[in-house]
């Protein structure tokens, strides 16, 4: 099984409904006329826009993802959104463990594992994020931190569940800062993660899991980052809010696939 190359847009808490639909319309148009279709394209708008975006994406080949899900199946949890609800809108993916969720909503490894399991049980593929802070990197601790995040949430997962998972390496110091990891820095960590998967699961799983890079990916640096074969695409924040920028990043990945 060939692993997929993916460019996913994480809108975070941006865009009103009207703005969001205008953005989707524009992205859809450019993807249709300029992209090869080789790269998997995923849009992750806020929960409230999922249904409307899903309808607009129908037939476009662009897939839909959410940015989080509840850690409960259903019940009296005011304000929460379940994995089953997300799936019912047409979402196929859910971002879990983003550093902003870890930092501002105190999500830890154990809670993330619960969410990963619930997401998969309800037909969603988790895009599981990991990454170190600048202090951790400067202290030379980044490999240790990334291994702890991955094993803390994925340990013991069946091979079949691992095949239904995407990993995103997002160094916290590169998110929304305009400071990108160098392609070499990103590649080193991607190789480390793939080796970890080979060691803790097996080489087939390691070869099958798509590992995306996230953190200030822009049209002008995407090609250099994606040039490394262990970097299977990107999780894009700021640049996913501009149709032209997002499309150029998709095109950079299309081009690498020839
Ligand atoms: P950024 O965000 O591209 O704006 O750095 C990436 C992310 O947080 O997923």
């Amino acid at each position: 099984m060939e692993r997929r190359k993916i460019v996913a847009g994480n809108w975070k808490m941006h865009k009103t409904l009207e703005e969001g639909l205008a953005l989707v319309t524009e992205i859809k148009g450019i993807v249709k006329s300029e992209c090869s279709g080789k790269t998997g394209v995923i849009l992750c708008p806020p929960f409230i826009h999922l249904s409307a975006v899903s309808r607009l994406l129908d037939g476009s080949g662009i897939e839909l993802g959410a940015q989080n899900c509840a850690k409960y199946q259903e019940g009296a949890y005011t304000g929460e959104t379940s994995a089953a609800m997300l799936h019912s809108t047409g979402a196929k993916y859910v971002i879990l463990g983003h550093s902003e969720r870890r930092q501002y909503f105190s999500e830890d490894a154990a809670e993330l594992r619960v969410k990963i399991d619930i997401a998969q049980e309800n037909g969603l593929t988790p895009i599981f994020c990991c990454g170190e802070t600048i202090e951790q990197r400067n202290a030379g601790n980044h490999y240790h931190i990334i291994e702890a995040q991955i094993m803390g949430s994925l340990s013991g997962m069946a091979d079949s569940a691992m095949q239904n998972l995407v990993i995103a390496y997002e160094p916290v110091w590169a998110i929304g800062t305009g400071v990108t990891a160098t392609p070499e820095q990103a590649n080193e960590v991607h190789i480390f993660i793939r080796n970890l998967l080979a060691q803790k699961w097996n080489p087939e799983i390691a070869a099958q899991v798509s590992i995306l890079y996230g953190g200030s990916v822009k049209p002008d640096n995407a090609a250099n980052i994606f040039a490394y074969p262990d970097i299977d695409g990107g999780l894009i924040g700021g640049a996913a809010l501009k149709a032209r920028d997002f499309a150029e990043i998709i095109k950079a990945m299309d081009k690498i696939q020839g």
Side-chain angles (χ1 to χ4, degrees), residues 10 12 98 100 170 174-176 215-217 235-238:
N10 173 13
K12 309 190 181 184
H98 192 282
E100 288 150 18
E170 297 206 309
I175 296 177
S216 298
V217 179
L235 181 54
I236 319 299

Side-chain angles (χ1 to χ4, degrees), residues 45-122:
F47 287 155
I48 188 83
H49 303 338
L50 283 168
S51 293
V53 171
S54 182
R55 280 192 289 275
L56 202 49
L57 289 180
D58 195 34
S60 69
I62 299 175
E63 296 177 302
L64 188 65
Q67 300 173 19
N68 179 33
C69 73
K71 61 180 169 183
Y72 305 107
Q73 290 281 9
E74 72 168 324
Y77 302 105
T78 302
E80 288 295 280
T81 303
S82 74
M85 292 170 191
L86 299 176
H87 186 254
S88 73
T89 67
K92 292 206 172 84
Y93 296 85
V94 58
I95 299 171
L96 292 173
H98 192 282
S99 62
E100 288 150 18
R101 300 288 321 169
R102 295 178 191 263
Q103 186 183 348
Y104 305 127
F105 302 93
S106 308
E107 294 189 359
D108 63 16
E111 176 174 342
L112 289 169
R113 173 52 174 275
V114 171
K115 292 188 175 194
I116 288 168
D117 288 345
I118 285 192
Q120 291 189 331
E121 277 166 35
N122 287 284

Side-chain angles (χ1 to χ4, degrees), residues 118-141:
I118 285 192
Q120 291 189 331
E121 277 166 35
N122 287 284
L124 299 172
T125 299
I127 301 175
F128 175 75
C129 305
C130 59
E132 81 285 359
T133 62
I134 194 65
E135 293 76 21
Q136 290 163 338
R137 176 166 278 265
N138 289 343
N141 250 342

